[in-house]
Amino acid sequence: MIFTKHSNAFRWIIIIASFAIVSLILWKTYEFFQHFKDEERTKMENWSFAQTEFVNAETNTNLNLTLKILNSNTTTPMLVIDQDGRLSSFNNIDETKIQDSLHIQKLIEKFRDENKPIDIKYQGKTFSTIYYGNSPLLNKLAYYPLALLLIIFLFGAVIFFFYRSNKNATQNKLWSGMAKETAHQIGTPLSSLIGWTEILKSENVNPDYISEMEKDVDRLKTITERFSKIGSLPTLEKADIIKETIDSYDYLKARSSKLIDFEIIIPDGEIFVELNKQLYSWSIENLVKNAIDAMKGRGKLTIEISQLENNVKITVTDTGKGINKKDFNKIFEPGFTTKKRGWGLGLSLTKRIIEDFHKGKISVSQSEKEKGTTIQIDLKRAN
């Protein structure tokens, strides 16, 4: 608890310090921008003084310094408009567009918005006005704060996703540990049930009851193995997918509502696939339970297996409420569910089992509102 409090305090200190640093950088950038802008205005004012000196100079006056100042402006765009509103001179503007009076008027309005015009006066009388805009360097500098904010945003996003992924990894380790501990805890009563089953065999008990009990015990063994495999890479072995599917089908059919019409369509012979039996059974179980929920316990459920040249296709079809087309991919995302009660983990777990562990593919093959859904699994056949 103390560590958590200190971590939160340290996190807030970093956030506040980062905000202060960013604010200081932005403020200093603004100050530099304004200083640079003032420097450009001073340069343009000097240019206006030189222009006044040049226009009113006498014949024998030395104009070397004046001409040097007038020729020094190589970056700042400017227009000199006389008192009659005519263009007197220009600098750093595209000559091909300067002949257009409408373009000149737009430039005047733009420059007026960027900088206050400078009047060129002689003996108290204004004989022309300088309209000047920001230099290319100043325009680039104006975007610097935005670029800085973008960099900071991207840096913050990287930190956030790193923190989030690290937190998810920690949670995954916790869940994996809990799953393994659950499997360990189930082992004790499971061993006891196996012992009681053996005792019942020696008593005068209906063998059918014992057979069903043994199936449930085997199912508990399978569930225990599933939980014990969480967090570790499952091993695959060559197995007949038809047999494994039938085993899951028979178990689920015997323990589901009699209002569900079960059907299984399989080809003759065997189809071998690199398979983890426990995890594949878990996938079929999740798909069947979701189908039953979609039909609200009443309807027809069909499992069909068909073989292609290199692949095997398993489809689970129900006559339930269907899925919106926009949700075809969402249903496999962790936490997505349309049920009032549910964690939204069944289909996401199935997708991971099929695609990550078995290198297969699972998708919604087709779905129609109030008519049903078909979910398809594609797996590679074993050599």
Side-chain angles (χ1 to χ4, degrees):
M1 182 64 71
I2 295 175
F3 177 76
T4 303
K5 288 181 178 179
H6 288 174
S7 298
N8 290 332
F10 183 69
R11 191 180 299 120
W12 277 108
I13 289 172
I14 292 177
I15 292 172
I16 294 171
S18 301
F19 180 78
I21 292 171
V22 171
S23 301
L24 181 62
I25 292 174
L26 292 177
W27 173 250
K28 287 299 179 181
T29 303
Y30 174 77
E31 283 188 340
F32 178 72
F33 181 84
Q34 291 301 318
H35 177 74
F36 198 81
K37 202 173 178 72
D38 292 340
E39 289 286 336
E40 285 206 344
R41 183 165 186 86
T42 300
K43 183 174 70 173
M44 295 310 301
E45 287 176 347
N46 291 336
W47 195 95
S48 70
F49 295 149
Q51 179 71 8
T52 303
E53 186 73 19
F54 179 79
V55 171
N56 297 287
E58 296 180 359
T59 306
N60 296 325
T61 304
N62 188 345
L63 297 175
N64 289 337
L65 180 60
T66 302
L67 291 173
K68 188 173 182 179
I69 293 174
L70 291 175
N71 293 327
S72 65
N73 179 24
T74 58
T75 57
T76 305
M78 55 170 286
L79 297 168
V80 180
I81 307 297
D82 63 21
Q83 57 185 352
D84 295 325
R86 293 173 298 188
L87 178 65
S88 175
S89 64
F90 65 92
N91 205 353
N92 303 311
I93 297 175
D94 188 355
E95 293 184 8
T96 59
K97 297 181 179 180
I98 205 66
Q99 304 299 327
D100 186 354
S101 59
L102 182 60
H103 181 69
I104 293 174
Q105 191 59 39
K106 288 182 178 179
L107 284 176
I108 290 173
E109 293 175 0
K110 177 186 176 185
F111 292 165
R112 186 188 288 118
D113 290 338
E114 291 179 352
N115 298 287
K116 185 179 179 180
I118 299 174
D119 292 329
I120 302 176
K121 297 182 179 181
Y122 181 71
Q123 294 182 350
K125 182 180 179 181
T126 301
F127 62 89
S128 60
T129 303
I130 300 175
Y131 296 92
Y132 70 99
N134 295 329
S135 65
L137 179 61
L138 199 60
N139 286 330
K140 291 177 181 178
L141 189 62
Y143 292 103
Y144 176 75
L146 294 178
L148 181 64
L149 287 174
L150 179 61
I151 292 171
I152 292 171
F153 172 77
L154 293 175
F155 184 70
V158 170
I159 292 176
F160 170 76
F161 285 115
F162 173 77
Y163 172 76
R164 186 175 181 181
S165 61
N166 186 52
K167 185 177 181 181
N168 288 339
T170 303
Q171 289 179 341
N172 288 338
K173 287 182 180 178
L174 177 63
W175 286 114
S176 297
M178 291 179 64
K180 291 179 181 294
E181 179 62 22
T182 301
H184 177 72
Q185 294 292 336
I186 291 176
T188 302
L190 183 58
S191 299
S192 178
L193 286 173
I194 294 172
W196 282 110
T197 304
E198 293 299 321
I199 292 174
L200 288 175
K201 286 181 181 179
S202 62
E203 302 292 333
N204 188 19
V205 177
N206 189 329
D208 292 337
Y209 297 163
I210 297 176
S211 175
E212 290 301 317
M213 288 179 65
E214 287 179 333
K215 289 180 181 178
D216 287 332
V217 168
D218 289 338
R219 174 59 56 163
L220 284 173
K221 287 181 181 178
T222 301
I223 293 171
T224 302
E225 290 182 16
R226 291 174 184 171
F227 276 95
S228 65
K229 291 179 185 297
I230 292 177
S232 58
L233 189 65
T235 56
L236 306 180
E237 59 182 56
K238 193 173 182 179
D240 179 14
I241 197 166
I242 294 179
K243 177 183 181 302
E244 300 304 323
T245 305
I246 290 175
D247 288 345
S248 298
Y249 170 85
D250 288 341
Y251 181 84
L252 293 168
K253 179 181 179 181
R255 285 154 181 79
S256 299
S257 170
K258 301 303 179 184
L259 299 176
I260 300 293
D261 181 15
F262 280 83
E263 181 183 17
I264 186 167
I265 303 171
I266 55 175
D268 296 330
E270 299 174 325
I271 303 176
F272 289 98
V273 173
E274 293 293 333
L275 209 64
N276 182 285
K277 297 179 182 180
Q278 290 81 14
L279 295 183
Y280 174 73
S281 173
W282 201 353
S283 299
I284 296 298
E285 182 179 322
N286 285 334
L287 293 179
V288 170
K289 286 183 177 180
N290 271 278
I292 292 173
D293 288 340
M295 295 186 292
K296 297 181 179 179
R298 181 190 297 267
K300 184 176 181 180
L301 189 146
T302 304
I303 298 177
E304 182 175 0
I305 300 176
S306 55
Q307 57 180 329
L308 304 176
E309 184 176 353
N310 297 316
N311 292 3
V312 56
K313 180 172 69 174
I314 306 101
T315 60
V316 178
T317 303
D318 63 61
T319 56
K321 59 184 179 181
I323 303 170
N324 292 323
K325 193 169 183 179
K326 62 183 180 66
D327 294 332
F328 277 15
N329 291 324
K330 288 183 180 180
I331 64 170
F332 296 107
E333 294 177 0
F336 181 85
T337 180
T338 57
K339 295 180 285 188
K340 292 182 179 180
R341 295 182 179 181
W343 292 91
L345 297 176
L347 290 179
S348 65
L349 178 62
T350 301
K351 180 181 177 69
R352 185 178 182 188
I353 290 172
I354 297 301
E355 297 190 354
D356 293 351
F357 297 152
H358 291 86
K359 307 304 178 185
K361 180 72 176 175
I362 183 170
S363 61
V364 179
S365 175
Q366 63 180 19
S367 185
E368 192 173 347
K369 294 293 286 183
E370 306 305 330
K371 289 190 176 180
T373 300
T374 297
I375 293 182
Q376 178 176 312
I377 296 174
D378 291 286
L379 295 173
K380 291 182 180 180
R381 296 178 62 182
N383 295 325

